[in-house]
């Protein structure tokens, strides 16, 4: 199965999960998994959230993510992965002047 994000309509979200600024989301979702390509605008952030019943894998494609994970701040650059296991919390910020583009997968764990 091929997922072509260019064929998925973009959703523009202001303040994703209680964050600030603009997130552009192209998501494929079924009963088992969310597969996403997102763009977090300069100065924007996602809101702090806990992964209950799932985890999240975030692969940075371009830009730089500042990730707050269980109280620790990490910089994630292209080619690196941030992993948030089930029952842990995180949020991301784009503290740069360029878009943060990332690919994320949230499998539903049973």
């Amino acid at each position: 199965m091929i997922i072509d994000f260019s064929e998925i309509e973009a959703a523009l979200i202001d303040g994703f999960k209680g964050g600030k600024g603009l997130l552009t989301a192209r998501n494929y979702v079924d009963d088992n998994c969310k597969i996403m390509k997102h763009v977090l605008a300069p100065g924007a952030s996602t809101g702090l959230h806990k992964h209950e019943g799932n985890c999240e894998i975030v692969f940075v494609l371009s830009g730089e993510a500042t990730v707050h994970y269980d109280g620790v701040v990490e910089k994630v650059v292209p080619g690196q992965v941030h992993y948030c296991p089930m029952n842990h919390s995180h949020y991301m910020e784009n503290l740069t002047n360029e878009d943060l583009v990332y690919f994320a997968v949230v499998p539903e764990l049973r």
Side-chain angles (χ1 to χ4, degrees), residues 2-9 26:
I2 294 174
I3 298 167
D4 186 344
F5 289 106
S6 68
E7 295 179 358
I8 297 174
E9 185 175 346
R26 295 177 189 271

Side-chain angles (χ1 to χ4, degrees), residues 80-100:
Q80 292 183 326
V81 172
H82 162 68
Y83 174 56
C84 185
M86 184 166 53
N87 298 318
H88 289 262
S89 299
H90 70 154
Y91 73 96
M92 291 191 301
E93 295 181 286
N94 180 357
L95 300 177
T96 73
N97 292 322
E98 63 182 80
D99 285 343
L100 166 61

Side-chain angles (χ1 to χ4, degrees), residues 19-102:
K20 65 177 183 179
L22 190 62
L23 174 84
T24 303
R26 295 177 189 271
N27 300 335
Y28 171 84
V29 179
D30 67 16
D31 291 339
N32 299 307
C33 197
K34 295 176 192 164
I35 302 171
M36 304 165 282
K37 184 177 180 186
H38 289 176
V39 179
L40 193 60
S45 67
T46 65
L48 177 65
H49 59 282
K50 184 174 184 177
H51 282 271
E52 296 175 345
N54 58 35
C55 61
E56 184 171 20
I57 302 104
V58 178
F59 182 82
V60 174
L61 298 170
S62 65
E64 178 181 281
T66 300
V67 178
H68 300 256
Y69 167 72
D70 285 347
V72 175
V73 179
E74 304 172 324
K75 299 282 185 190
V76 187
V77 298
Q80 292 183 326
V81 172
H82 162 68
Y83 174 56
C84 185
M86 184 166 53
N87 298 318
H88 289 262
S89 299
H90 70 154
Y91 73 96
M92 291 191 301
E93 295 181 286
N94 180 357
L95 300 177
T96 73
N97 292 322
E98 63 182 80
D99 285 343
L100 166 61
V101 182
Y102 61 93

